[in-house]
Amino acid sequence: MNELTILTTLAVVHFVALMSPGPDFALVVQNATRYGRQTGLYIALGLSCGILLHSILSLTGISYLVHQQPIVFALLQLAGGSYLSYLGYGALKASWSSLRQPKINHTEAAQPSLLLSNRREAFSRGFATNILNPKALVFFVSLMSSLVPASMSLSGKGIALVILWSLSLLWFSFLAWVLSTQRMQNKIKAMAVYINLLCGLLFTVIGVTILWQSLLAIAQRF
């Protein structure tokens, strides 16, 4: 395949993966619907920067080396699973509090204790959610090794990185923008607590699954 074909295929595969439900998708939905556009956009920026770092590490072979070291990869799984479980616990706890006190309105519920109160915090949560997800590491190792040949030019690899980063930023920003419009906010206001609950369950299930896999991998080594 020529470089144009490779880059087009890479863009299509990556975009399809972006639209698939997962921790990144759930994080944008959860926070854009609950806390608004600015939080959603900075989470989108954090997620896309995490994807950029994963892409760079995969292109340089660092991610492959990590994946080939069972203990190191298991420890990454342990960290990632713990973080996603932590996000799930926080979301479930907030949802439970809201369901027990339904008279608290949406604005009052988003107090500083729960609200991502600044841009840095929103960006950091997006970045950490993506970079600590071991499934993302495996995806990018597979994507780069199967679609980007070692013989590809440096400019071609640079364009591939730009494509992966820009598609991620555009998709997650679009999602955050749509979910935070006034019309959409009015429609989902009554369902916000259930969206948060669903996202919390997704984080928890994925996090616990990753934790279980990491513990099994560590146990098999000893």
Side-chain angles (χ1 to χ4, degrees):
M1 291 192 294
N2 59 43
E3 289 195 357
L4 180 59
T5 303
I6 291 171
L7 292 172
T8 302
T9 305
L10 188 70
V12 171
V13 173
H14 180 56
F15 190 65
V16 170
L18 285 173
M19 292 189 292
S20 303
D24 294 352
F25 187 94
L27 191 71
V28 176
V29 172
Q30 177 196 29
N31 289 281
T33 55
R34 188 172 176 83
Y35 302 132
R37 180 168 298 163
Q38 179 173 280
T39 296
L41 290 176
Y42 274 91
I43 282 177
L45 180 60
L47 289 169
S48 62
C49 286
I51 286 170
L52 177 61
L53 182 55
H54 267 303
S55 303
I56 292 172
L57 294 176
S58 296
L59 270 181
T60 56
I62 295 174
S63 291
Y64 177 77
L65 293 175
V66 171
H67 190 225
Q68 293 303 305
Q69 298 296 320
I71 293 298
V72 176
F73 186 64
L75 290 175
L76 175 63
Q77 286 183 303
L78 194 62
S82 298
Y83 185 71
L84 291 175
S85 298
Y86 162 75
L87 292 182
Y89 171 75
L92 292 175
K93 183 179 178 182
S95 300
W96 177 249
S97 297
S98 297
L99 289 171
R100 290 187 63 188
Q101 298 174 303
K103 291 184 180 181
I104 295 179
N105 62 40
H106 181 73
T107 303
E108 291 173 343
Q111 292 300 314
S113 59
L114 297 177
L115 180 63
L116 296 182
S117 56
N118 58 64
R119 298 170 183 177
R120 181 182 299 176
E121 187 179 351
F123 174 87
S124 298
R125 181 161 297 185
F127 183 80
T129 299
N130 183 268
I131 204 65
L132 289 176
N133 184 1
K135 294 184 180 298
L137 182 146
V138 174
F139 170 76
F140 283 104
V141 167
S142 302
L143 185 69
M144 294 303 187
S145 62
S146 60
L147 290 180
V148 181
S151 59
M152 191 176 193
S153 68
L154 190 60
S155 60
K157 291 179 179 178
I159 293 171
L161 292 176
V162 171
I163 287 174
L164 294 172
W165 177 77
S166 58
L167 278 178
S168 305
L169 181 61
L170 288 172
W171 167 247
F172 289 129
S173 295
F174 170 75
L175 191 61
W177 186 277
V178 169
L179 292 172
S180 59
T181 59
Q182 189 60 51
R183 184 176 180 182
M184 185 62 72
Q185 287 285 304
N186 291 336
K187 287 183 177 181
I188 64 179
K189 187 176 180 180
M191 299 185 295
V193 63
Y194 300 105
I195 293 173
N196 199 42
L197 178 62
L198 183 61
C199 291
L201 287 172
L202 180 61
F203 287 135
T204 302
V205 170
I206 295 175
V208 170
T209 300
I210 292 172
L211 279 174
W212 177 249
Q213 291 172 344
S214 68
L215 293 173
L216 284 178
I218 292 172
Q220 289 172 359
R221 300 298 299 179
F222 295 100

